PDB file of all heavy atoms in Angstrom:
ATOM      1  N   CYS A   1     -15.991 -98.510 139.545  1.00 93.00           N
ATOM      2  CA  CYS A   1     -14.627 -98.176 139.984  1.00 93.00           C
ATOM      3  C   CYS A   1     -13.655 -98.114 138.806  1.00 93.00           C
ATOM      4  O   CYS A   1     -12.530 -97.633 138.954  1.00 93.00           O
ATOM      5  CB  CYS A   1     -14.114 -99.200 140.986  1.00 93.00           C
ATOM      6  SG  CYS A   1     -14.758 -98.995 142.670  1.00 93.00           S
ATOM      7  N   CYS A   2     -14.084 -98.624 137.657  1.00 93.00           N
ATOM      8  CA  CYS A   2     -13.192 -98.669 136.497  1.00 93.00           C
ATOM      9  C   CYS A   2     -12.986 -97.282 135.900  1.00 93.00           C
ATOM     10  O   CYS A   2     -13.928 -96.482 135.831  1.00 93.00           O
ATOM     11  CB  CYS A   2     -13.782 -99.587 135.421  1.00 93.00           C
ATOM     12  SG  CYS A   2     -13.848-101.334 135.910  1.00 93.00           S
ATOM     13  N   LYS A   3     -11.783 -97.012 135.474  1.00 91.00           N
ATOM     14  CA  LYS A   3     -11.481 -95.731 134.841  1.00 91.00           C
ATOM     15  C   LYS A   3     -12.295 -95.591 133.556  1.00 91.00           C
ATOM     16  O   LYS A   3     -12.434 -96.553 132.781  1.00 91.00           O
ATOM     17  CB  LYS A   3      -9.990 -95.632 134.540  1.00 91.00           C
ATOM     18  CG  LYS A   3      -9.129 -95.584 135.800  1.00 91.00           C
ATOM     19  CD  LYS A   3      -7.641 -95.512 135.460  1.00 91.00           C
ATOM     20  CE  LYS A   3      -6.802 -95.455 136.738  1.00 91.00           C
ATOM     21  NZ  LYS A   3      -5.346 -95.443 136.442  1.00 91.00           N
ATOM     22  N   ALA A   4     -12.833 -94.408 133.343  1.00 86.00           N
ATOM     23  CA  ALA A   4     -13.753 -94.176 132.225  1.00 86.00           C
ATOM     24  C   ALA A   4     -13.121 -94.454 130.875  1.00 86.00           C
ATOM     25  O   ALA A   4     -13.807 -94.848 129.927  1.00 86.00           O
ATOM     26  CB  ALA A   4     -14.265 -92.734 132.276  1.00 86.00           C
ATOM     27  N   ALA A   5     -11.818 -94.278 130.751  1.00 84.00           N
ATOM     28  CA  ALA A   5     -11.143 -94.440 129.463  1.00 84.00           C
ATOM     29  C   ALA A   5     -10.975 -95.897 129.070  1.00 84.00           C
ATOM     30  O   ALA A   5     -10.667 -96.204 127.910  1.00 84.00           O
ATOM     31  CB  ALA A   5      -9.777 -93.750 129.500  1.00 84.00           C
ATOM     32  N   LEU A   6     -11.197 -96.815 130.013  1.00 84.00           N
ATOM     33  CA  LEU A   6     -10.981 -98.240 129.736  1.00 84.00           C
ATOM     34  C   LEU A   6     -12.309 -98.929 129.408  1.00 84.00           C
ATOM     35  O   LEU A   6     -13.284 -98.795 130.132  1.00 84.00           O
ATOM     36  CB  LEU A   6     -10.339 -98.916 130.948  1.00 84.00           C
ATOM     37  CG  LEU A   6      -8.983 -98.339 131.389  1.00 84.00           C
ATOM     38  CD1 LEU A   6      -8.508 -99.028 132.659  1.00 84.00           C
ATOM     39  CD2 LEU A   6      -7.945 -98.510 130.279  1.00 84.00           C
ATOM     40  N   SER A   7     -12.307 -99.672 128.326  1.00 82.00           N
ATOM     41  CA  SER A   7     -13.538-100.367 127.898  1.00 82.00           C
ATOM     42  C   SER A   7     -13.551-101.841 128.284  1.00 82.00           C
ATOM     43  O   SER A   7     -14.606-102.468 128.312  1.00 82.00           O
ATOM     44  CB  SER A   7     -13.704-100.242 126.374  1.00 82.00           C
ATOM     45  OG  SER A   7     -12.578-100.785 125.710  1.00 82.00           O
ATOM     46  N   ASN A   8     -12.382-102.410 128.593  1.00 87.00           N
ATOM     47  CA  ASN A   8     -12.305-103.836 128.900  1.00 87.00           C
ATOM     48  C   ASN A   8     -12.065-104.103 130.382  1.00 87.00           C
ATOM     49  O   ASN A   8     -11.653-105.189 130.773  1.00 87.00           O
ATOM     50  CB  ASN A   8     -11.195-104.500 128.071  1.00 87.00           C
ATOM     51  CG  ASN A   8      -9.831-103.861 128.338  1.00 87.00           C
ATOM     52  OD1 ASN A   8      -9.768-102.774 128.915  1.00 87.00           O
ATOM     53  ND2 ASN A   8      -8.767-104.542 127.924  1.00 87.00           N
ATOM     54  N   CYS A   9     -12.332-103.115 131.235  1.00 89.00           N
ATOM     55  CA  CYS A   9     -12.114-103.266 132.677  1.00 89.00           C
ATOM     56  C   CYS A   9     -13.208-104.137 133.286  1.00 89.00           C
ATOM     57  O   CYS A   9     -14.391-103.946 133.003  1.00 89.00           O
ATOM     58  CB  CYS A   9     -12.077-101.898 133.344  1.00 89.00           C
ATOM     59  SG  CYS A   9     -11.964-101.959 135.144  1.00 89.00           S
ATOM     60  N   THR A  10     -12.813-105.098 134.122  1.00 88.00           N
ATOM     61  CA  THR A  10     -13.768-105.993 134.785  1.00 88.00           C
ATOM     62  C   THR A  10     -13.890-105.725 136.280  1.00 88.00           C
ATOM     63  O   THR A  10     -14.656-106.393 136.963  1.00 88.00           O
ATOM     64  CB  THR A  10     -13.339-107.459 134.576  1.00 88.00           C
ATOM     65  OG1 THR A  10     -12.039-107.657 135.157  1.00 88.00           O
ATOM     66  CG2 THR A  10     -13.306-107.814 133.099  1.00 88.00           C
ATOM     67  N   GLY A  11     -13.110-104.770 136.772  1.00 88.00           N
ATOM     68  CA  GLY A  11     -13.128-104.464 138.200  1.00 88.00           C
ATOM     69  C   GLY A  11     -12.269-105.386 139.031  1.00 88.00           C
ATOM     70  O   GLY A  11     -12.294-105.323 140.265  1.00 88.00           O
ATOM     71  N   SER A  12     -11.478-106.248 138.385  1.00 90.00           N
ATOM     72  CA  SER A  12     -10.654-107.212 139.113  1.00 90.00           C
ATOM     73  C   SER A  12      -9.554-106.511 139.913  1.00 90.00           C
ATOM     74  O   SER A  12      -8.879-105.601 139.415  1.00 90.00           O
ATOM     75  CB  SER A  12     -10.032-108.201 138.134  1.00 90.00           C
ATOM     76  OG  SER A  12      -9.135-109.073 138.814  1.00 90.00           O
ATOM     77  N   LEU A  13      -9.368-106.971 141.151  1.00 90.00           N
ATOM     78  CA  LEU A  13      -8.322-106.403 141.998  1.00 90.00           C
ATOM     79  C   LEU A  13      -6.933-106.861 141.577  1.00 90.00           C
ATOM     80  O   LEU A  13      -5.930-106.361 142.095  1.00 90.00           O
ATOM     81  CB  LEU A  13      -8.571-106.788 143.462  1.00 90.00           C
ATOM     82  CG  LEU A  13      -9.777-106.110 144.129  1.00 90.00           C
ATOM     83  CD1 LEU A  13      -9.945-106.588 145.564  1.00 90.00           C
ATOM     84  CD2 LEU A  13      -9.622-104.595 144.110  1.00 90.00           C
ATOM     85  N   THR A  14      -6.885-107.796 140.639  1.00 89.00           N
ATOM     86  CA  THR A  14      -5.576-108.216 140.116  1.00 89.00           C
ATOM     87  C   THR A  14      -5.020-107.180 139.146  1.00 89.00           C
ATOM     88  O   THR A  14      -3.849-107.257 138.781  1.00 89.00           O
ATOM     89  CB  THR A  14      -5.689-109.573 139.401  1.00 89.00           C
ATOM     90  OG1 THR A  14      -6.632-109.471 138.326  1.00 89.00           O
ATOM     91  CG2 THR A  14      -6.144-110.657 140.374  1.00 89.00           C
ATOM     92  N   ARG A  15      -5.866-106.243 138.715  1.00 89.00           N
ATOM     93  CA  ARG A  15      -5.426-105.172 137.826  1.00 89.00           C
ATOM     94  C   ARG A  15      -5.786-103.813 138.455  1.00 89.00           C
ATOM     95  O   ARG A  15      -6.675-103.094 137.979  1.00 89.00           O
ATOM     96  CB  ARG A  15      -6.084-105.302 136.447  1.00 89.00           C
ATOM     97  CG  ARG A  15      -5.611-106.535 135.666  1.00 89.00           C
ATOM     98  CD  ARG A  15      -6.252-106.578 134.289  1.00 89.00           C
ATOM     99  NE  ARG A  15      -5.962-105.374 133.512  1.00 89.00           N
ATOM    100  CZ  ARG A  15      -4.851-105.193 132.809  1.00 89.00           C
ATOM    101  NH1 ARG A  15      -3.886-106.123 132.818  1.00 89.00           N
ATOM    102  NH2 ARG A  15      -4.672-104.088 132.112  1.00 89.00           N
ATOM    103  N   PRO A  16      -5.119-103.464 139.544  1.00 89.00           N
ATOM    104  CA  PRO A  16      -5.453-102.217 140.248  1.00 89.00           C
ATOM    105  C   PRO A  16      -5.215-100.964 139.418  1.00 89.00           C
ATOM    106  O   PRO A  16      -5.815 -99.922 139.696  1.00 89.00           O
ATOM    107  CB  PRO A  16      -4.529-102.246 141.472  1.00 89.00           C
ATOM    108  CG  PRO A  16      -3.411-103.155 141.089  1.00 89.00           C
ATOM    109  CD  PRO A  16      -4.023-104.192 140.198  1.00 89.00           C
ATOM    110  N   MET A  17      -4.366-101.077 138.394  1.00 91.00           N
ATOM    111  CA  MET A  17      -4.109 -99.901 137.550  1.00 91.00           C
ATOM    112  C   MET A  17      -5.332 -99.511 136.719  1.00 91.00           C
ATOM    113  O   MET A  17      -5.403 -98.407 136.195  1.00 91.00           O
ATOM    114  CB  MET A  17      -2.913-100.165 136.631  1.00 91.00           C
ATOM    115  CG  MET A  17      -3.137-101.184 135.523  1.00 91.00           C
ATOM    116  SD  MET A  17      -3.275-102.907 136.121  1.00 91.00           S
ATOM    117  CE  MET A  17      -1.630-103.156 136.773  1.00 91.00           C
ATOM    118  N   ASP A  18      -6.324-100.419 136.600  1.00 91.00           N
ATOM    119  CA  ASP A  18      -7.554-100.117 135.857  1.00 91.00           C
ATOM    120  C   ASP A  18      -8.586 -99.374 136.709  1.00 91.00           C
ATOM    121  O   ASP A  18      -9.609 -98.933 136.192  1.00 91.00           O
ATOM    122  CB  ASP A  18      -8.190-101.416 135.332  1.00 91.00           C
ATOM    123  CG  ASP A  18      -7.343-102.093 134.273  1.00 91.00           C
ATOM    124  OD1 ASP A  18      -6.388-101.465 133.793  1.00 91.00           O
ATOM    125  OD2 ASP A  18      -7.648-103.249 133.931  1.00 91.00           O
ATOM    126  N   LEU A  19      -8.324 -99.287 138.010  1.00 93.00           N
ATOM    127  CA  LEU A  19      -9.302 -98.741 138.946  1.00 93.00           C
ATOM    128  C   LEU A  19      -8.905 -97.345 139.422  1.00 93.00           C
ATOM    129  O   LEU A  19      -7.724 -96.990 139.433  1.00 93.00           O
ATOM    130  CB  LEU A  19      -9.434 -99.672 140.163  1.00 93.00           C
ATOM    131  CG  LEU A  19      -9.656-101.158 139.878  1.00 93.00           C
ATOM    132  CD1 LEU A  19      -9.625-101.948 141.178  1.00 93.00           C
ATOM    133  CD2 LEU A  19     -10.984-101.371 139.153  1.00 93.00           C
ATOM    134  N   TYR A  20      -9.919 -96.580 139.820  1.00 93.00           N
ATOM    135  CA  TYR A  20      -9.632 -95.285 140.430  1.00 93.00           C
ATOM    136  C   TYR A  20      -8.934 -95.530 141.763  1.00 93.00           C
ATOM    137  O   TYR A  20      -9.383 -96.364 142.560  1.00 93.00           O
ATOM    138  CB  TYR A  20     -10.922 -94.493 140.653  1.00 93.00           C
ATOM    139  CG  TYR A  20     -11.617 -94.077 139.385  1.00 93.00           C
ATOM    140  CD1 TYR A  20     -12.936 -94.458 139.125  1.00 93.00           C
ATOM    141  CD2 TYR A  20     -10.966 -93.301 138.434  1.00 93.00           C
ATOM    142  CE1 TYR A  20     -13.581 -94.067 137.961  1.00 93.00           C
ATOM    143  CE2 TYR A  20     -11.608 -92.905 137.265  1.00 93.00           C
ATOM    144  CZ  TYR A  20     -12.911 -93.298 137.033  1.00 93.00           C
ATOM    145  OH  TYR A  20     -13.538 -92.914 135.875  1.00 93.00           O
ATOM    146  N   SER A  21      -7.879 -94.818 141.996  1.00 89.00           N
ATOM    147  CA  SER A  21      -7.082 -95.054 143.204  1.00 89.00           C
ATOM    148  C   SER A  21      -7.539 -94.226 144.401  1.00 89.00           C
ATOM    149  O   SER A  21      -7.285 -94.578 145.551  1.00 89.00           O
ATOM    150  CB  SER A  21      -5.605 -94.750 142.925  1.00 89.00           C
ATOM    151  OG  SER A  21      -5.447 -93.411 142.479  1.00 89.00           O
ATOM    152  N   GLU A  22      -8.231 -93.118 144.146  1.00 92.00           N
ATOM    153  CA  GLU A  22      -8.626 -92.227 145.235  1.00 92.00           C
ATOM    154  C   GLU A  22      -9.936 -92.678 145.865  1.00 92.00           C
ATOM    155  O   GLU A  22     -10.850 -93.139 145.177  1.00 92.00           O
ATOM    156  CB  GLU A  22      -8.772 -90.795 144.708  1.00 92.00           C
ATOM    157  CG  GLU A  22      -8.857 -89.748 145.797  1.00 92.00           C
ATOM    158  CD  GLU A  22      -8.710 -88.346 145.251  1.00 92.00           C
ATOM    159  OE1 GLU A  22      -8.526 -88.187 144.028  1.00 92.00           O
ATOM    160  OE2 GLU A  22      -8.790 -87.399 146.051  1.00 92.00           O
ATOM    161  N   GLY A  23     -10.021 -92.565 147.191  1.00 92.00           N
ATOM    162  CA  GLY A  23     -11.243 -92.926 147.904  1.00 92.00           C
ATOM    163  C   GLY A  23     -12.328 -91.880 147.743  1.00 92.00           C
ATOM    164  O   GLY A  23     -12.051 -90.708 147.451  1.00 92.00           O
ATOM    165  N   CYS A  24     -13.579 -92.283 147.982  1.00 91.00           N
ATOM    166  CA  CYS A  24     -14.718 -91.387 147.743  1.00 91.00           C
ATOM    167  C   CYS A  24     -15.048 -90.484 148.930  1.00 91.00           C
ATOM    168  O   CYS A  24     -15.616 -89.413 148.742  1.00 91.00           O
ATOM    169  CB  CYS A  24     -15.963 -92.214 147.396  1.00 91.00           C
ATOM    170  SG  CYS A  24     -15.838 -93.070 145.806  1.00 91.00           S
ATOM    171  N   GLU A  25     -14.699 -90.908 150.136  1.00 90.00           N
ATOM    172  CA  GLU A  25     -15.102 -90.131 151.311  1.00 90.00           C
ATOM    173  C   GLU A  25     -14.595 -88.692 151.254  1.00 90.00           C
ATOM    174  O   GLU A  25     -15.365 -87.743 151.424  1.00 90.00           O
ATOM    175  CB  GLU A  25     -14.595 -90.792 152.593  1.00 90.00           C
ATOM    176  CG  GLU A  25     -15.033 -90.038 153.841  1.00 90.00           C
ATOM    177  CD  GLU A  25     -14.590 -90.724 155.118  1.00 90.00           C
ATOM    178  OE1 GLU A  25     -13.884 -91.751 155.044  1.00 90.00           O
ATOM    179  OE2 GLU A  25     -14.942 -90.232 156.197  1.00 90.00           O
ATOM    180  N   ALA A  26     -13.307 -88.523 150.993  1.00 90.00           N
ATOM    181  CA  ALA A  26     -12.723 -87.178 150.958  1.00 90.00           C
ATOM    182  C   ALA A  26     -13.346 -86.333 149.849  1.00 90.00           C
ATOM    183  O   ALA A  26     -13.590 -85.134 150.030  1.00 90.00           O
ATOM    184  CB  ALA A  26     -11.216 -87.265 150.771  1.00 90.00           C
ATOM    185  N   LEU A  27     -13.655 -86.960 148.713  1.00 90.00           N
ATOM    186  CA  LEU A  27     -14.224 -86.219 147.581  1.00 90.00           C
ATOM    187  C   LEU A  27     -15.683 -85.838 147.832  1.00 90.00           C
ATOM    188  O   LEU A  27     -16.124 -84.758 147.423  1.00 90.00           O
ATOM    189  CB  LEU A  27     -14.098 -87.058 146.303  1.00 90.00           C
ATOM    190  CG  LEU A  27     -12.670 -87.330 145.835  1.00 90.00           C
ATOM    191  CD1 LEU A  27     -12.670 -88.204 144.581  1.00 90.00           C
ATOM    192  CD2 LEU A  27     -11.933 -86.025 145.552  1.00 90.00           C
ATOM    193  N   VAL A  28     -16.430 -86.726 148.494  1.00 88.00           N
ATOM    194  CA  VAL A  28     -17.827 -86.410 148.835  1.00 88.00           C
ATOM    195  C   VAL A  28     -17.858 -85.253 149.835  1.00 88.00           C
ATOM    196  O   VAL A  28     -18.670 -84.325 149.700  1.00 88.00           O
ATOM    197  CB  VAL A  28     -18.541 -87.653 149.425  1.00 88.00           C
ATOM    198  CG1 VAL A  28     -19.886 -87.256 150.035  1.00 88.00           C
ATOM    199  CG2 VAL A  28     -18.763 -88.696 148.336  1.00 88.00           C
ATOM    200  N   VAL A  29     -16.980 -85.301 150.830  1.00 87.00           N
ATOM    201  CA  VAL A  29     -16.889 -84.215 151.809  1.00 87.00           C
ATOM    202  C   VAL A  29     -16.565 -82.901 151.107  1.00 87.00           C
ATOM    203  O   VAL A  29     -17.194 -81.868 151.370  1.00 87.00           O
ATOM    204  CB  VAL A  29     -15.816 -84.527 152.878  1.00 87.00           C
ATOM    205  CG1 VAL A  29     -15.515 -83.283 153.724  1.00 87.00           C
ATOM    206  CG2 VAL A  29     -16.267 -85.673 153.769  1.00 87.00           C
ATOM    207  N   LYS A  30     -15.588 -82.943 150.212  1.00 88.00           N
ATOM    208  CA  LYS A  30     -15.190 -81.739 149.481  1.00 88.00           C
ATOM    209  C   LYS A  30     -16.348 -81.191 148.657  1.00 88.00           C
ATOM    210  O   LYS A  30     -16.598 -79.967 148.631  1.00 88.00           O
ATOM    211  CB  LYS A  30     -14.007 -82.057 148.567  1.00 88.00           C
ATOM    212  CG  LYS A  30     -13.493 -80.862 147.772  1.00 88.00           C
ATOM    213  CD  LYS A  30     -12.332 -81.257 146.877  1.00 88.00           C
ATOM    214  CE  LYS A  30     -11.858 -80.071 146.039  1.00 88.00           C
ATOM    215  NZ  LYS A  30     -10.752 -80.457 145.121  1.00 88.00           N
ATOM    216  N   LYS A  31     -17.099 -82.083 147.978  1.00 85.00           N
ATOM    217  CA  LYS A  31     -18.220 -81.663 147.143  1.00 85.00           C
ATOM    218  C   LYS A  31     -19.312 -81.010 147.981  1.00 85.00           C
ATOM    219  O   LYS A  31     -19.844 -79.942 147.629  1.00 85.00           O
ATOM    220  CB  LYS A  31     -18.782 -82.867 146.383  1.00 85.00           C
ATOM    221  CG  LYS A  31     -19.896 -82.534 145.413  1.00 85.00           C
ATOM    222  CD  LYS A  31     -19.393 -81.717 144.248  1.00 85.00           C
ATOM    223  CE  LYS A  31     -20.472 -81.483 143.212  1.00 85.00           C
ATOM    224  NZ  LYS A  31     -19.987 -80.676 142.076  1.00 85.00           N
ATOM    225  N   LEU A  32     -19.668 -81.634 149.098  1.00 82.00           N
ATOM    226  CA  LEU A  32     -20.725 -81.097 149.953  1.00 82.00           C
ATOM    227  C   LEU A  32     -20.311 -79.766 150.575  1.00 82.00           C
ATOM    228  O   LEU A  32     -21.134 -78.860 150.734  1.00 82.00           O
ATOM    229  CB  LEU A  32     -21.074 -82.110 151.045  1.00 82.00           C
ATOM    230  CG  LEU A  32     -21.804 -83.365 150.568  1.00 82.00           C
ATOM    231  CD1 LEU A  32     -21.918 -84.380 151.697  1.00 82.00           C
ATOM    232  CD2 LEU A  32     -23.189 -83.024 150.039  1.00 82.00           C
ATOM    233  N   GLN A  33     -19.030 -79.638 150.922  1.00 84.00           N
ATOM    234  CA  GLN A  33     -18.552 -78.365 151.472  1.00 84.00           C
ATOM    235  C   GLN A  33     -18.565 -77.270 150.411  1.00 84.00           C
ATOM    236  O   GLN A  33     -18.850 -76.110 150.715  1.00 84.00           O
ATOM    237  CB  GLN A  33     -17.150 -78.543 152.047  1.00 84.00           C
ATOM    238  CG  GLN A  33     -17.124 -79.336 153.344  1.00 84.00           C
ATOM    239  CD  GLN A  33     -15.736 -79.510 153.908  1.00 84.00           C
ATOM    240  OE1 GLN A  33     -14.732 -79.439 153.188  1.00 84.00           O
ATOM    241  NE2 GLN A  33     -15.639 -79.759 155.199  1.00 84.00           N
ATOM    242  N   GLU A  34     -18.276 -77.635 149.164  1.00 84.00           N
ATOM    243  CA  GLU A  34     -18.352 -76.664 148.075  1.00 84.00           C
ATOM    244  C   GLU A  34     -19.784 -76.174 147.885  1.00 84.00           C
ATOM    245  O   GLU A  34     -20.027 -74.975 147.676  1.00 84.00           O
ATOM    246  CB  GLU A  34     -17.851 -77.290 146.766  1.00 84.00           C
ATOM    247  CG  GLU A  34     -16.345 -77.429 146.678  1.00 84.00           C
ATOM    248  CD  GLU A  34     -15.915 -78.114 145.394  1.00 84.00           C
ATOM    249  OE1 GLU A  34     -16.798 -78.536 144.610  1.00 84.00           O
ATOM    250  OE2 GLU A  34     -14.693 -78.241 145.176  1.00 84.00           O
ATOM    251  N   ILE A  35     -20.746 -77.106 147.968  1.00 81.00           N
ATOM    252  CA  ILE A  35     -22.155 -76.739 147.830  1.00 81.00           C
ATOM    253  C   ILE A  35     -22.556 -75.744 148.908  1.00 81.00           C
ATOM    254  O   ILE A  35     -23.234 -74.739 148.648  1.00 81.00           O
ATOM    255  CB  ILE A  35     -23.047 -77.997 147.904  1.00 81.00           C
ATOM    256  CG1 ILE A  35     -22.796 -78.911 146.695  1.00 81.00           C
ATOM    257  CG2 ILE A  35     -24.522 -77.620 147.974  1.00 81.00           C
ATOM    258  CD1 ILE A  35     -23.425 -80.270 146.841  1.00 81.00           C
ATOM    259  N   MET A  36     -22.122 -76.019 150.146  1.00 81.00           N
ATOM    260  CA  MET A  36     -22.453 -75.128 151.243  1.00 81.00           C
ATOM    261  C   MET A  36     -21.802 -73.754 151.064  1.00 81.00           C
ATOM    262  O   MET A  36     -22.376 -72.725 151.436  1.00 81.00           O
ATOM    263  CB  MET A  36     -22.017 -75.751 152.572  1.00 81.00           C
ATOM    264  CG  MET A  36     -22.711 -75.172 153.783  1.00 81.00           C
ATOM    265  SD  MET A  36     -24.520 -75.271 153.696  1.00 81.00           S
ATOM    266  CE  MET A  36     -24.759 -77.035 153.669  1.00 81.00           C
ATOM    267  N   MET A  37     -20.609 -73.740 150.468  1.00 84.00           N
ATOM    268  CA  MET A  37     -19.936 -72.464 150.237  1.00 84.00           C
ATOM    269  C   MET A  37     -20.685 -71.621 149.211  1.00 84.00           C
ATOM    270  O   MET A  37     -20.678 -70.388 149.290  1.00 84.00           O
ATOM    271  CB  MET A  37     -18.497 -72.701 149.762  1.00 84.00           C
ATOM    272  CG  MET A  37     -17.525 -73.049 150.879  1.00 84.00           C
ATOM    273  SD  MET A  37     -17.490 -71.840 152.233  1.00 84.00           S
ATOM    274  CE  MET A  37     -16.940 -70.357 151.384  1.00 84.00           C
ATOM    275  N   TYR A  38     -21.356 -72.264 148.229  1.00 80.00           N
ATOM    276  CA  TYR A  38     -22.168 -71.525 147.270  1.00 80.00           C
ATOM    277  C   TYR A  38     -23.250 -70.739 148.003  1.00 80.00           C
ATOM    278  O   TYR A  38     -23.514 -69.573 147.688  1.00 80.00           O
ATOM    279  CB  TYR A  38     -22.818 -72.475 146.261  1.00 80.00           C
ATOM    280  CG  TYR A  38     -21.860 -73.158 145.317  1.00 80.00           C
ATOM    281  CD1 TYR A  38     -22.126 -74.422 144.819  1.00 80.00           C
ATOM    282  CD2 TYR A  38     -20.686 -72.540 144.919  1.00 80.00           C
ATOM    283  CE1 TYR A  38     -21.245 -75.058 143.953  1.00 80.00           C
ATOM    284  CE2 TYR A  38     -19.802 -73.164 144.057  1.00 80.00           C
ATOM    285  CZ  TYR A  38     -20.087 -74.426 143.580  1.00 80.00           C
ATOM    286  OH  TYR A  38     -19.211 -75.050 142.730  1.00 80.00           O
TER     287      TYR A  38
END
């Protein structure tokens, strides 16, 4: 869940700015729909 640019991220919820904020469900749906469109 840690942002790729950060090397000292521990995944702690006390530092939410270090984590990706967007959920995966919508992105997985979008990716699979793109594949089907191909």
Side-chain angles (χ1 to χ4, degrees):
C1 282
C2 293
K3 294 179 180 178
L6 301 176
S7 58
N8 59 345
C9 175
T10 61
S12 175
L13 290 179
T14 59
R15 292 182 58 84
M17 70 289 295
D18 293 349
L19 310 174
Y20 294 122
S21 58
E22 194 168 359
C24 293
E25 182 177 4
L27 295 178
V28 169
V29 168
K30 181 181 178 182
K31 184 68 175 180
L32 290 172
Q33 288 180 337
E34 284 177 357
I35 294 169
M36 200 56 63
M37 281 305 298
Y38 292 149

